[in-house]
Structures are given as structure tokens and as C-alpha cells.
Amino acid sequence: MADAEVRVLAQSDHRAGQDLARAAHHTSPISDREWAYAQDLHEPGLALGAFLGGDLVGTTFLLRSRLALPGGSTVPMAAATGIAVRADRTRRGIFTRLERESLDLAVAQGFPVVGSRVSEATIYGRFGHGVGSTTRAVRLYPHEARLRPEVPAGGEVRLVDGETSVGLLPRLYERLGPYRPGVIERSAGWWKAKWEPLVHSGKGAVVAVHSGPDGDDGFAVYQAMRGGDSGARVTLMVTDFHAANPEAVAGLWRFLLGVDLVEEVCARRRPADELVEGMLVDWRACRTHSVNDDLWLRLVDVPKALGARSYRDGDPFVLEITDDLLPANSGSLRIGPDGVERTSDRPQLSLNVDALAMAYLGGTSFTTLASIGLLRVTDTKALPNADRVFGTDRAAFCGTTF
Ligand SMILES: CC(C)(COP(=O)(O)OP(=O)(O)OC[C@H]1O[C@@H](n2cnc3c(N)ncnc32)[C@H](O)[C@@H]1OP(=O)(O)O)[C@@H](O)C(=O)NCCC(=O)NCCS
């Protein structure tokens, strides 16, 4: 069979590309109504199609975003989505072609980092992607989950109706800014495609906004689900929760746990270091349901990506990176509090670019990478030092689907 031809998708083909991706994820084609919301999400020039004999058989879409980094700066990130190959043309290398081209496209378009949320964890490592952040899914039963009196208080929570939220949430989310490594920018197209349809669907998404002394500083979105035999009581499914400071986090949890007629509160995506059980009188009233990979990262321009974040005090160390797919990234870098520079000095630590993605936001330490065979240590003194230099105050967390 002839090789697939991969090229930038004409904007007129974006809808067909979306339909192909939806079919591969077992979802029906996009309706005219849904397309009216979604069509602005995808910019011209950032979608790739694979063609066989003139037929579209595979897609990858890149969305323009920015990624929050340790130190509070951000770096341009291409959010990869709509990754799919038509079911009758899989396992013959079409995704591999698309993936190579999309990494090149990201570099050419000036994105040092590509982010994705993946359906299968076994596909992406070989292309240099690694888990940049993790999330925790938690379940709390309000009748036993009381907050301790020392937990920060003082702000106010108010409910906002759907139409108001369409204007308010994008402004509030932008105001929160890069409040944690891993948080990503949401474009106007993202809000239109991902939030407005839910507001107008009548599915009862409720928006709670927290305000502190400086105004609005956090929000939680939830939907009530009625179970089998819980009578009038419901499960609150928290689907989107971002808050910039401890008062807002605590205030929103206090509110969620105080809503009447609720059997349980479930939040699928919370930062790994958000110690909800520590806020409670009964530590065991918060149960961890699962810990999951959150944002996967592919550093496509390693010097730029590493140069964009800040580093803690410590001795500079020499890190050797291997990138078989994008060889311009291979080589040694000296990394320290003053920045990142190429060097020909002997490496002290060596890893592949997928393992580097795991360390990039401080999510996985170099000591942990070494302990699971993902880092080669030539100079043992460099290991604790590298951990110190890459260390962060807050666990990386994305919490945005795309
Ligand atoms: C995942 C998908 C894009 C792969 O496309 P494809 O054209 O079959 O992939 P390739 O033929 O290029 O395979 C690349 C490698 O990944 C492996 N691979 C592909 N799909 C895989 C899967 N679902 N699970 C595990 N490994 C997979 C292949 O075996 C191959 O490995 P090899 O080189 O060692 O043989 C395609 O199967 C698909 O659209 N699936 C449904 C939608 C989906 O899951 N998309 C990904 C969203 S993040």
C-alpha cells in the first residue's frame, strides 16, 4: 500500500477531520449546532490530515495555548487533540507519520512544548512524550466530612447563572493566571467550544465563584447526578475547579460540602498536593479514588523549553538529553539558577526526552527517575543538587480538557 500523504488541512476540511476523530473515539458526527460552537477552536495552519488515495484517513489538531512553569512564567504550548486514524487504516504507520509531522509543525510554529491528554498510555512514550503532571480523584461524604476550624475562611461563595458565567468565567480564569505549574491558557475559542454548549445544554452545570479581599479568586463547576437508591440525595460531580490561593480552595470545598441533599461530592481532577483530608476533622472522610496522569508533555525545543522556566538555588549541573526523533535536542546542557546553556562538558546525568518531560514541571524528581531506570547517573553528587535546582513549591496540575 502507498504511503499516506500528510499535509496541513484546509480549513474547509476541519469539520471532516473532527468527524473522523469523533468516529475513532466512538462518538457520532458533530451536529450543525455543535459545529457553530466548535469551529473557532481550530486555527488555520495548525491541523494536519493524512490522506490515502485522496481520502482523509487521519488527523491531528494543534491548539494555541501557553503552559505555566515553575517560577510563574509561561511558555507557548501546542495542545494536541483530535489525534485519530480511521479504524480501517490503523496499525500501518499513519499515526507515526502524523506524529512526526506534528512535532515538526510545532517547532516551525514556535511552540517549544506540545501538550496532550492521552487515551492510551502506551502509545506516546516512543515519540518522546512523558507525564508532566498527575491528578487525584477524590470522594467525600458531606455527613462525615467537616472542616477543621483552623482551615482558612473569610471569603464568600456565590452561585452564578449560566449566561453570566459565559462572560465571567473566561475573565476569572485569566485573572487566576499561571497560579501553578501545569495550568494552561484557555483561548476564547476554547471557552466557546467547551463551556458554552454545556451552559446551553440544560444539563444543569452549576457555577460557584469564590471572592476574597481582592475580588473573585476561584470557581468550581459541578453537576448533580441522581443515583439508584439514595432518595432525594445526589452526587455532586465537580468537573472544573480552579482557585489561586488557599482561602479560595478551602472556601470552595467548604461550600461544596455544605450543599444540602448531597450524598457524596466527587472531584475527578484535583492537584496531587491538595491535602483535602488534612482540612477535615476526620482524615478518612476524604477517599482517594485514583491517581491519574494529567497533562502529557513533549519538549520539542529543549533549550527553549528549559530556558523558559526558573530554577532554584543550587550548583549548576550538566544534563545530557537524547532525542532520537528531533536530534537537534540531543546534547548536553548546563542547568542552574542562572539559566540554561549548551556545553561540551562531561554529562553528570543523562536521560531521554520523554523522561525530561516528567521532570520539567517538577512532577517527578531526578532521584525518582534514577530509581526507576529512566536516568543514568555518572556523578552521584549531581543527583540531590539537580532535585534542588528543579524543585517546586506546588505540584504541577493542568485540570483543563482539550
Ligand atoms: C491511536 C491511533 C491514533 C494509532 O494510529 P495508528 O496509525 O494505528 O498508529 P501506528 O500504526 O502509527 O502505530 C504506532 C505505534 O503505536 C502502537 N499503537 C498504536 N495504537 C495503539 C494503541 N491503541 N495501544 C497501544 N499501542 C498502540 C502501534 O502498535 C505502533 O507500535 P510499533 O511501531 O511498535 O508497532 C489510532 O489507533 C486511533 O485513532 N485510535 C482511536 C483514537 C485514539 O485513541 N486516539 C488517540 C487519542 S490520544
Side-chain angles (χ1 to χ4, degrees), residues 242-288:
H242 287 269
N245 58 62
E247 290 73 23
V249 172
L252 286 163
W253 273 117
R254 185 178 290 105
F255 170 78
L256 292 166
L257 294 170
V259 178
D260 283 342
L261 297 178
V262 173
E263 180 70 15
E264 55 178 7
V265 178
C266 297
R268 266 186 66 197
R269 291 192 193 90
R270 297 309 304 143
D273 63 350
E274 184 174 274
L275 197 60
V276 188
E277 38 285 80
M279 295 184 201
L280 305 174
V281 173
D282 177 356
W283 181 278
R284 293 185 181 170
C286 170
R287 279 144 222 183
T288 299

Side-chain angles (χ1 to χ4, degrees), residues 104-116:
D104 288 343
L105 179 65
V107 177
Q109 292 287 329
F111 297 102
V113 178
V114 173
S116 27

Side-chain angles (χ1 to χ4, degrees), residues 24-25 83-85 90-96 119 122 124 126:
H25 289 86
I83 296 166
V85 170
T90 54
R91 307 303 179 271
R92 58 198 80 190
I94 292 175
F95 167 63
T96 302
S119 57
T122 47
Y124 288 85
R126 78 191 76 200

Side-chain angles (χ1 to χ4, degrees), residues 169-198:
L169 281 189
R171 281 200 309 276
L172 172 50
Y173 185 83
E174 194 176 341
R175 184 165 191 246
L176 301 182
Y179 72 92
R180 251 186 200 275
V183 165
I184 64 168
E185 191 179 82
R186 296 177 176 181
S187 66
W190 184 95
W191 284 101
K192 188 166 177 196
K194 304 290 179 186
W195 177 241
E196 289 188 37
L198 186 59

Side-chain angles (χ1 to χ4, degrees), residues 345-367:
D345 287 358
R346 192 164 168 263
Q348 295 165 290
L349 306 171
S350 309
L351 43 52
N352 284 331
V353 72
D354 56 327
L356 181 61
M358 296 167 71
Y360 183 50
L361 301 178
T364 307
S365 71
F366 287 101
T367 299

Side-chain angles (χ1 to χ4, degrees), residues 126-159:
R126 78 191 76 200
F127 299 109
H129 302 251
V131 175
S133 65
T134 54
T135 53
R136 185 164 75 117
V138 292
R139 169 172 294 160
L140 294 92
Y141 296 92
H143 64 273
E144 55 185 35
R146 266 188 312 116
L147 263 62
R148 286 189 297 99
E150 306 90 321
V151 172
E156 286 258 349
V157 172
R158 70 184 190 283
L159 294 182

Side-chain angles (χ1 to χ4, degrees), residues 43-103:
E43 259 183 58
L46 290 182
L48 290 175
F51 292 84
L52 268 179
D55 288 345
L56 182 64
V57 292
T59 53
T60 296
F61 289 80
L62 300 181
L63 308 177
R64 198 174 290 281
S65 183
R66 296 189 74 89
L67 172 69
L69 300 175
S73 57
T74 62
V75 69
M77 185 189 91
T81 179
I83 296 166
V85 170
R86 215 172 70 186
D88 59 352
R89 293 293 178 268
T90 54
R91 307 303 179 271
R92 58 198 80 190
I94 292 175
F95 167 63
T96 302
R97 294 267 340 266
L98 273 166
E99 175 65 10
R100 284 171 178 270
E101 298 278 341
S102 68
L103 297 183

